[in-house]
Amino acid sequence: MPERLTEMLMDTWTPLIILWITVLPSIYMAPMNQSQVLPSGSSTGLKRLTEEQRILNRSKRGWVWNQMFVLEEFSGPEPILVGRLHTDLDPGSSKIKYILSGDGAGTIFVINDKTGDIHAMKRLDREEKAEYTLTAQAVDRDTNKPLEPPSEFIIKVQDINDNAPEFVDGPYHATVPEMSVVGTFVTKVTATDADDPVYGNSAKLVYSILEGQPYFSIEPHTAIIKTALPNMDREAKEEYFVVIQAKDMGGHMGGLSGTTTVTITLTDVNDNPPKFAQSLYHFSVMEDVALGEPIGRVKANDLDIGENAKSSYDIIEGDGMDIFEITTDAQTQDGVIRVRKPLDFETKKSYTLKVEAANIHIDPRFISGGPFKDTATVKIVVEDADEPPVFSSPTYLLEVHENAAINSVIGQVTAHDPDVSSSPIRFSIDRHTDLERQFNINAEDGKITLATPLDRETNMWHNITIVATETRNHSQVSRVPVTIKVLDVDDNAPEFASEHEAFLCENGKPGQVIQIVSAVDKDDPKNGHYFLYSLLPEMINNPNFTIKKNEGRYKMYVICVIFT
């Protein structure tokens, strides 16, 4: 309180002191010069100055600078008297001429060459120029010879509080995390004042908040903005508009002020768990849905944003954990339920799942407010689809002997309609796989019969496709491959592998091999071929040749040679 009272007294007396300085300028003279700077006034002032000079002359220390003061922005009908130059050599006979040179001499400052009075001809602005350095000299009016060395002095422009504080960097934008404790740093603002920071309180600034309380506070002298309320919630209010004032004169009455705005945005923290929009979801799906197809979406909403709102989904319970899967849509943050395995209405008509949504990024500061997850129940109903017929086997292999009779039954295929309605089935052969129409099929029971004779030696394998069609819906069609193997029967005589022509020298010896013969058979008996060789009847009685088996082959030998 005493400090405050002192400041108020200073603010009250400062303008009066400035005015006194303007009307009666203070004059300081260097003792080494005989010239004096006198204020305007009576001879009493001159006597007082002489006394002061006498005191100064006794001091061992000399004055280095002479100074005058003029109040800025001061104007009137007449030029302002700044001060007076005077020398002891002036007897008052008007033989002394005063000359002024330096900053603004002759334009801003004019000297009366007879009296030494200096006047300011213009209104001055300290913020443009704070001081002027001039040189004064006394010369003989007749000869213009210097009567003493030149004397340099300064005219200082005395500051008044004519500039309001300015926020050159405003308006400001700042962020602070939501739920911050009281006193958390937000930002710092800065105002500048063009007035003299040294003289008086014209540039002494004090900061305050005009708008934005009670949420934020500002330190009066450092301009640091901090939070003033705990647990401000972004989800309740995200943005605050704060008005800051900077006031000079130490914030006292009569001071000038400037304002700026600070837009403060609360940034998000993960202080909210995900929450399903509903506790129970119902979906239906056709039993013939393709694997991987989405059948429904669930959504857990999170009041947070960005990374803090991201959740992952899982199936944690249920009778379809191996049938279905759930993934997270990165764009919408939905949980997408898909089919992993084929569905069958006739086997299982519904499923119940329990799904969970959990935040990916947990802030340990708010873990006590958890758990940061939620669950919901999903009921999935499987609907019956008109499915095509199903064959009893994915493939069929049939065997038939090549000598089978026409219209004999080779084999049978069976199929059924898996739907509850169980439509009758009709069978047919895809003739693109049986161009020669070798086979027929009974449309009612699926029995396959022989239509034309078979020849294993010509074609041992036949591959045909059987088509099963629902009679109630001809678009429901299934196909199955049928492979028919033709079995061999002994219906071909052996044949010599090649034609033989033997030559024998006339001196051939008995027992000499003259030819090896072999035979082939188009048939393919299970135990392999066994051939018996013999000479033609007309050769049986020929005593010269015989045929014998030797190591699986037959050799013709010479028994005797008859020479004629």
Side-chain angles (χ1 to χ4, degrees), residues 139-251:
V139 301
D140 186 283
R141 185 177 293 276
D142 296 330
T143 64
N144 280 334
K145 290 183 178 181
L147 300 178
E148 61 181 35
S151 178
E152 187 177 89
F153 66 98
I154 295 173
I155 298 178
K156 287 192 173 183
V157 182
Q158 192 71 50
D159 184 49
I160 65 171
N161 189 20
D162 60 340
N163 290 280
E166 293 183 356
F167 291 90
V168 294
D169 296 327
Y172 296 85
H173 294 269
T175 60
V176 64
E178 63 171 331
M179 312 304 289
S180 295
V181 298
V182 173
T184 300
F185 175 85
V186 178
T187 189
K188 184 180 186 299
V189 298
T190 302
T192 58
D193 194 312
D195 292 322
D196 191 346
V198 178
Y199 178 78
N201 291 326
S202 297
K204 184 178 181 181
L205 305 182
V206 172
Y207 298 87
S208 60
I209 290 184
L210 300 183
E211 294 181 29
Q213 296 173 324
Y215 306 103
F216 300 95
S217 64
I218 188 168
E219 208 288 322
H221 301 291
T222 63
I224 293 175
I225 300 174
K226 301 179 180 180
T227 57
L229 280 183
N231 302 327
M232 285 189 287
D233 191 1
R234 184 199 67 84
E235 289 73 36
K237 184 176 181 180
E238 183 175 8
E239 193 172 85
Y240 294 83
F241 188 75
V242 180
V243 179
I244 303 296
Q245 174 184 267
K247 190 174 183 180
D248 61 17
M249 299 301 291

Side-chain angles (χ1 to χ4, degrees), residues 1-17:
M1 191 67 184
E3 238 179 62
R4 173 73 173 166
L5 184 58
T6 303
E7 289 182 357
M8 291 179 66
L9 289 173
M10 285 292 294
D11 294 339
T12 303
W13 282 101
T14 297
L16 297 177
I17 294 171

Side-chain angles (χ1 to χ4, degrees), residues 393-439:
S393 175
T395 60
Y396 290 88
L397 175 61
L398 306 179
E399 294 181 343
V400 58
H401 286 90
E402 61 179 325
N403 62 349
I406 301 300
N407 295 325
S408 60
V409 177
I410 298 173
Q412 183 180 18
V413 297
T414 58
H416 71 282
D417 182 3
D419 300 320
V420 176
S421 57
S422 188
S423 171
I425 307 298
R426 291 186 64 83
F427 300 95
S428 61
I429 296 176
D430 183 350
R431 290 304 177 182
H432 292 91
T433 63
D434 185 27
L435 296 176
E436 297 179 358
R437 294 184 175 272
Q438 193 91 51
F439 307 97

Side-chain angles (χ1 to χ4, degrees), residues 350-361:
S350 65
Y351 296 88
T352 300
L353 308 174
K354 187 175 184 180
V355 297
E356 178 184 82
N359 275 156
I360 298 175
H361 305 285

Side-chain angles (χ1 to χ4, degrees), residues 47 67 98 117 153 155 320 416 428 431 458 491 540 542:
K47 291 178 180 178
Q67 296 186 11
Y98 294 97
D117 291 343
F153 66 98
I155 298 178
H416 71 282
S428 61
R431 290 304 177 182
T458 302
D491 58 346
I540 293 177
N542 189 333

